Amino acid sequence: MEPPSTNLSVREPVVLDCSPVPAGGVNTDEVLVEPYELPDPLVFENGAAVTRSNWGERRTEILNLFEDHVFGRTPEGELSAITEESETGTALDGAATRRQVRLTFSNNDRSIAIDVLIYVPSSVDGPVPVFLVPNFDGNHTIADDPDIVFSAGATRDRGGDAGPRGSKTGRFPLATILGRGYGLATFYSGDADPDIDDGFANGVHHLYYSDAQTTPEPYEWGTIGAWAWGCSRVLDHLGTEQAVDDDRVIVGGHSRLGKTALWAAAQDKRFAAVFSNNSGCTGAALSRRRFGENVAVINTLFPHWFCRNYRCYGNDEAALPVDQHQLIALVAPRPVHIASASEDGWADPLGEFLAAREASHVYELLGAGGLEREDFPSPGEVSLGPISYHLRDGEHALAEFDWVQYLDFADNHVR
Ligand code: GTR
């Protein structure tokens, strides 16, 4: 049997008709996980076998399924864009150069601005590899530094009070990252689209609406799609920064932004690698396990994150045409690091590990290796293969321990 044609220009809209189910129970007992069968990334939807030479077509097929049923399609086309420098200075007692730029995008009589905060180590000659890691709470929260421009978007999204400077320094151990010779770029995810179920009133969606459109179609992007789009726009900008090696940008994120990082790297092959920290449901964790947060729950709590079609799979994960090991596989053969925390049952650590293991089949087909262990690790154990995995001891968090593993991973696979 021949692989199907995957011509993007002739794709029909996909509009599912269902009554979304309300959030039901949540299982956190491994014994109660029911048997499931995963969709095989190495078999086309029409049953044809996937080979190394036709993986590109299967990749497109899987990507299209994630677009139409999970994250929504990201619109194509460039917006009118302006870049303004906000500030350049030194940071970390001279160990780093800090740059801040504002990217403004306009269309349909609307505009949005993404403030980008970039650090590069002063001690390194030449362009450096950079971690691009968006933040939840505003750029001013990642370090206690009065020169960081307050995120205006965070002020808007939090009723006028964007919170104190430096409240999230634990998630961004700058001295550790820069001391290892890497740069860090970050932006407030709400600059691309606020994390609020408000009918997409303030984000990038409006800029792409066609005539008279007022909301995304059921198969069009939600907020995670907008955050991933923001990652790609910041990558565009990093390509203009002389101190940055834009062939070695590792996109990463924690939790909802860990889901985003995987979706960004899946869509945009310019990202050299990705880390996804405690990303859980619709991130790295297998949906069919229904352990911890599940599809009905996530669509009830965060209806704006995904495309509307995804709501049809609440309590019906077996009907999903994809599962999350295939999201990881979309990154192949680029290096990917998945991480869990031992007390983070909501994100299903075992489901994250199993997805990484299942994605290995695609990496192996492409000759890239894969996850280098079969058994679920004990807390503190790290496996640094082309698909890396670690299980940190403790709660849902992005901690210094996690960063040290991501830096080792980058040393091994990106540098
Ligand atoms: C939780 C959500 C998770 C995860 C997390 C986070 O409330 O249920 O899917 O994304 O938030 O982003 O911190």
Side-chain angles (χ1 to χ4, degrees):
M1 196 181 288
E2 289 298 309
S5 151
T6 47
N7 185 344
L8 275 176
S9 59
V10 298
R11 279 173 72 206
E12 294 294 323
V14 176
V15 178
L16 303 183
D17 185 16
C18 68
S19 306
V21 291
V26 168
N27 175 41
T28 52
D29 184 347
E30 193 58 39
V31 174
L32 299 179
V33 173
E34 292 185 8
Y36 56 87
E37 199 178 329
L38 292 175
D40 189 341
L42 296 184
V43 177
F44 282 95
E45 294 305 290
N46 70 1
V50 174
T51 63
R52 193 163 169 169
S53 60
N54 68 20
W55 163 249
E57 288 145 70
R58 174 60 172 151
R59 186 184 183 285
T60 304
E61 190 175 59
I62 295 172
L63 186 68
N64 292 348
L65 291 170
F66 272 102
E67 288 171 342
D68 290 339
H69 299 269
V70 182
F71 295 106
R73 298 182 192 175
T74 302
E76 291 172 1
E78 279 187 30
L79 300 170
S80 149
I82 299 172
T83 303
E84 294 161 286
E85 180 179 331
S86 310
E87 190 256 3
T88 299
T90 54
L92 302 175
D93 296 326
T97 300
R98 181 191 54 242
R99 293 253 301 146
Q100 300 185 76
V101 297
R102 171 166 286 192
L103 312 177
T104 304
F105 302 93
S106 309
N107 198 28
N108 290 342
D109 298 326
R110 294 240 192 172
S111 63
I112 61 161
I114 298 180
D115 286 333
V116 188
L117 170 60
I118 306 164
Y119 294 88
V120 289
S122 317
S123 56
V124 182
D125 280 338
V128 293
V130 166
F131 284 91
L132 166 52
V133 181
N135 65 75
F136 295 125
D137 300 288
N139 291 351
H140 58 283
T141 65
I142 77 136
D144 189 6
D145 177 349
D147 289 322
I148 296 177
V149 176
F150 239 89
S151 282
T155 310
R156 172 200 62 203
D157 300 339
R158 286 158 179 74
D161 176 8
R165 291 187 178 278
S167 58
K168 292 293 183 311
T169 50
R171 282 187 187 163
F172 292 88
L174 288 174
T176 304
I177 299 165
L178 289 146
R180 295 274 298 258
Y182 291 85
L184 175 86
T186 188
F187 67 99
Y188 169 54
S189 51
D191 280 351
D193 188 41
D195 194 0
I196 305 167
D197 182 24
D198 61 355
F200 305 103
N202 301 308
V204 64
H205 298 83
H206 273 273
L207 277 55
Y208 279 105
Y209 285 162
S210 49
D211 290 346
Q213 187 174 5
T214 56
T215 193
E217 299 292 343
Y219 53 90
E220 290 184 327
W221 57 345
T223 295
I224 287 181
W227 294 339
W229 172 90
C231 292
S232 288
R233 299 295 71 77
V234 173
L235 178 58
D236 297 341
H237 172 75
L238 292 176
T240 70
E241 291 278 344
Q242 285 190 349
V244 172
D245 180 352
D246 65 331
D247 288 329
R248 290 183 296 162
V249 174
I250 303 139
V251 64
H254 169 57
S255 206
R256 65 198 71 186
L257 295 175
K259 309 179 209 294
T260 302
L262 284 173
W263 183 228
Q267 295 176 96
D268 191 337
K269 290 183 179 173
R270 296 174 301 164
F271 288 113
V274 55
F275 78 73
S276 185
N277 192 79
N278 304 182
S279 59
C281 183
T282 325
L286 292 174
S287 298
R288 280 167 173 75
R289 277 175 45 79
R290 292 181 52 78
F291 187 100
E293 188 172 28
N294 60 47
V295 174
V297 170
I298 202 166
N299 276 304
T300 305
L301 294 175
F302 307 102
H304 54 297
W305 281 0
F306 309 101
C307 71
R308 287 210 300 286
N309 281 341
Y310 192 44
R311 299 177 195 177
C312 295
Y313 298 100
N315 296 342
D316 196 12
E317 284 83 350
L320 268 169
V322 288
D323 210 315
Q324 298 307 112
H325 60 306
Q326 294 171 305
L327 180 61
I328 301 171
L330 288 174
V331 181
R334 292 165 292 158
V336 53
H337 191 143
I338 306 297
S340 315
S342 61
E343 295 166 19
D344 190 13
W346 187 244
D348 187 13
L350 178 58
E352 296 179 318
F353 172 79
L354 292 173
R357 202 174 76 182
E358 289 297 322
S360 288
H361 298 307
V362 173
Y363 279 73
E364 282 155 11
L365 176 78
L366 301 179
L371 184 64
E372 292 174 351
R373 64 179 297 152
E374 283 287 310
D375 56 318
F376 187 53
S378 300
E381 284 189 326
V382 181
S383 176
L384 288 181
I387 298 181
S388 293
Y389 180 85
H390 74 261
L391 178 66
R392 179 178 41 74
D393 196 10
E395 299 176 339
H396 187 72
L398 174 55
E400 173 109 15
F401 178 89
D402 299 308
W403 270 105
V404 170
Q405 314 320 316
Y406 299 138
L407 289 159
D408 288 348
F409 158 76
D411 280 355
N412 285 5
H413 298 291
V414 180
R415 210 183 253 293

